[in-house]
Amino acid sequence: MVTTVRHLGPNWYATVMGTAIVGTAGAALPVRLPGLRTLCAAFWALSLALLLALLAARALHWRHHRDQARTHLLDPATAPFYGCLAMALLAVGGGALTVGRDWIGVRAAVALDAVLFGAGTVVGLVAAVAVPYLMAVRHRVEAAQATPVWLLPLVAPMVSAALGPLLVPYLPAGQPRQTLLLACFALFGLSLLATFAMLPSVFGRLLTGGPLPLVLTPTLFLVLGPLGQSTTAVGNFAHFAPGVVSGPVGRGLAVLAVLYGVPVMGFALLWLALATAHLVRARRHGMRFAMTWWAFTFPVGTCATGAAALARHTDLVVYEVLACALYGVLVAAWTVVAAHTARGLLSGALLAAPRPAPRPAPSALRPATARTTSGAVR
C-alpha cells in the first residue's frame, strides 16, 4: 500500500468533486423524478467514501514519500491541483446538507458540513495564495505554459461562496447569519477577480499558442467551473438573503442573481461549445484516457446548478430545460470517466510511475531520424 500511493497526486481529489456534484446538481434540478433523490444521496455517500479513502492515502503519501510530495509542490503542472483538496471537502460538505441529510439526519449533516466547510475554506484560501506565490518565485512559468489548470486554486473560494449560504439558516438569527452570508459574498469577489485576472492568460495562450497537448485538452472544461459556480453563488445569495439582510442589500442580491447570472451563463455556453470542438479534434488525433478527463464532471455540474438557480429566479422554462440537459451531460460524462478510472486502477496503470521522457538521439543520427520522421508524417 505504501508503495502504491507514491505517485498518488492531489489531482485525485477531482474524483470526489466529480462524484459529489452528481448528487447536489441532481437535487437542484427543477424537476422531481421518482428515485432521483435516492440516487443523489447514493452519489453523495460514494463521494464521502472516496474522500475518506483519499485523505488516508494522501496521508500515507506525505508520511512515506515526502520527496515526491515536495516534487508535486514544486511542479507547476501539479501544484494547482491542491485546490482540488479544498473543493473536495466543500463539495462533500455541501452535499451532506443537500441530500446526505436524508440518510444521516439534519443534525449530523449540519455538523459534518460545518467541519468540512471550515476546513475546505481555509485550505482553499491557503491554496489561492500559496500556489500563485510558488508560481511566481519558484516555478518560473512562462506565458506559453498557461493552461486552465492554473485556475484551480483560484476557484476554490468560489465553491465556498456558493455552498456557504446553505449553513446560514442553521446559525442564530442576526449578526451570525449576516456575517456568514456577507463573508461568502467576499469570497465570491475574491475568487471572481482572481479568475478574471488569470483567464486572459489562458485564453490568450489558446489563441496564440495553438491547441493544448492532447492530454490537457479536457482541462478546457475547467473554465466552466468559475462561471457555473459563480452563477450558483449569486443565486444562493438571493435565495438565503430574505430574513438575513434587508432593505436595498437584499433586493440588490436578488437583482444580481439575474443580471450577473444570465450573461455569465451565456459565456459558459460559448466556452462549452469551444471546449467541445477542441475535444472532438483531440479525439480525432488520438487522445487517450487520463485523469484530466475528470474535468468533464465538476465544471459541467456547476453549470447545471447555475442554470437551475436561474430557473428558480427567472421562472423561465428555457433554464429548466438547460439545467436538465447539462445534468444529462454530467451523468453521461461521470459514467464514462468513472469506468475508465476503475479500469485503470484495477490494471495499476493510473498509479504507476510516469514514463521517462525518451532520450534524444545521438547527434550523428539526428539528420537521418528527422528525415525519417518527416517522411512518416507525410
Side-chain angles (χ1 to χ4, degrees):
M1 177 63 178
V2 172
T3 305
T4 303
V5 301
R6 175 167 176 77
H7 300 287
L8 183 74
N11 58 319
W12 277 84
Y13 287 112
T15 62
V16 179
M17 299 159 52
T19 303
I21 197 67
V22 176
T24 53
L29 290 179
V31 297
R32 293 294 179 264
L33 300 176
L36 177 60
R37 179 114 186 150
T38 302
L39 182 63
C40 291
F43 270 99
W44 171 79
L46 177 58
S47 70
L48 176 60
L50 288 173
L51 176 63
L52 294 175
L54 277 172
L55 287 175
R58 288 285 296 166
L60 287 175
H61 179 270
W62 272 94
R63 180 177 180 181
H64 298 283
H65 305 290
R66 293 183 182 179
D67 60 324
Q68 189 71 8
R70 180 176 174 80
T71 299
H72 286 163
L73 277 175
L74 298 181
D75 182 2
T78 305
F81 284 101
Y82 276 91
C84 291
L85 168 58
M87 290 186 279
L89 295 169
L90 293 164
V92 174
L97 267 185
T98 304
V99 291
R101 63 183 183 180
D102 296 349
W103 288 10
I104 65 175
V106 174
R107 179 175 296 182
V110 171
L112 179 60
D113 187 25
V115 171
L116 294 180
F117 174 76
T121 299
V122 171
V123 173
L125 289 173
V126 171
V129 174
V131 175
Y133 174 80
L134 287 173
M135 292 174 68
V137 302
R138 297 296 300 271
H139 293 167
R140 305 301 183 188
V141 294
E142 300 177 358
Q145 297 174 293
T147 72
V149 173
W150 290 7
L151 295 172
L152 286 174
L154 306 179
V155 179
M158 186 65 76
V159 180
S160 294
L163 298 178
L166 299 178
L167 285 167
V168 168
Y170 301 98
L171 292 177
Q175 291 269 339
R177 293 185 180 182
Q178 294 177 15
T179 300
L180 177 57
L181 188 63
L182 293 183
C184 291
F185 195 47
L187 291 169
F188 165 83
L190 180 159
S191 179
L192 185 68
L193 295 177
T195 298
F196 282 169
M198 183 70 76
L199 193 55
S201 299
V202 176
F203 197 23
R205 152 68 181 85
L206 187 64
L207 294 180
T208 60
L212 294 177
L214 296 183
V215 70
L216 291 178
T217 299
T219 65
L220 289 172
F221 285 79
L222 294 176
V223 176
L224 298 175
L227 304 177
Q229 199 67 274
S230 61
T231 303
T232 304
V234 293
N236 284 343
F237 296 156
H239 181 72
F240 289 98
V244 179
V245 292
S246 57
V249 177
R251 293 191 297 270
L253 290 176
V255 172
L256 180 66
V258 177
L259 294 187
Y260 174 88
V262 171
V264 170
M265 184 57 62
F267 180 66
L269 293 177
L270 170 67
W271 192 273
L272 177 61
L274 177 65
T276 301
H278 277 267
L279 178 64
V280 171
R281 173 194 173 275
R283 287 293 287 171
R284 289 177 176 174
H285 284 73
M287 182 187 73
R288 296 184 177 182
F289 174 74
M291 288 298 290
T292 51
W293 282 32
W294 280 97
F296 300 144
T297 56
F298 189 79
V300 174
T302 65
C303 289
T305 58
L310 285 174
R312 185 168 63 247
H313 290 289
T314 64
D315 292 323
L316 292 178
V317 176
V318 65
Y319 284 116
E320 295 180 359
V321 174
L322 178 61
C324 293
L326 289 171
Y327 187 71
V329 173
L330 168 63
V331 172
W334 184 91
T335 303
V336 172
V337 177
H340 279 284
T341 304
R343 190 178 301 118
L345 278 174
L346 291 175
S347 66
L350 289 180
L351 293 177
R355 293 181 180 180
R359 297 178 62 183
S363 57
L365 298 179
R366 284 176 185 168
T369 304
R371 287 194 296 270
T372 303
T373 303
S374 177
V377 172
R378 286 197 296 268

